[in-house]
Amino acid sequence: MTEIDRMLEANAEWAQRFPGSRPVQPARKVAVVACMDSRMPLFPLLGLEVGDAHVIRNAGGIITEDVLRSLTISQHLLGTRETVLVHHTDCGMQKTDDRALADTVEQATGHRPPWVGRTFTDLDADVRESMAILRSTPYLLSHEVRGTVYDVTTGELREVHPTS
Ligand SMILES: [Zn+2]
């Protein structure tokens, strides 16, 4: 059985417990931008329920053009007004650098990626940079953004303050 088969089976069980449909607008008017790390179950760790929040994830939880596209839609069309950033300890994006990542891809495939990996070394600095980008993005309706770092060894979330 493949992993996808297991997922399809699990979904049949989920559908039995399905809590019912919810409005498309997130009930708590919040969007989460987070790393794709497999150890961060964002809904339980943030106390969210189905229908509460948008979750936008990528490698590192960094602010890309597509994150800005999604947040713009989240705010203008679907009513969110706060954004929380969730980075985390032991992130894969801290374990390489942009050049090494591109080298790895090129050596394995013969193709150097056209994009930059956007790896980082300082977690808090990357959270602050992400907050600064969102606060200066003129086409968002709300610049209410807070940043956090999740500890994958304890489950604790620590807030990162913009200027500390
Ligand atoms: Zn990560």
Side-chain angles (χ1 to χ4, degrees), residues 4-18:
I4 308 297
D5 289 327
R6 288 194 180 90
M7 291 178 189
L8 293 174
E9 277 188 10
N11 176 259
E13 289 171 29
W14 161 255
Q16 298 299 315
R17 317 179 254 116
F18 184 62

Side-chain angles (χ1 to χ4, degrees), residues 18-30 43 49-54 74 77-80:
F18 184 62
S21 69
R22 299 283 190 272
V24 66
Q25 295 87 357
R28 291 176 57 179
K29 301 184 189 309
V30 64
F43 272 50
E49 302 291 340
V50 173
D52 275 351
H54 282 148
S74 177
L77 300 186
L78 296 165
T80 65

Side-chain angles (χ1 to χ4, degrees), residues 76 133-141 143:
H76 284 263
I133 293 169
L134 292 187
R135 289 194 172 119
S136 65
T137 298
Y139 40 82
L140 292 176
L141 291 171
H143 296 93

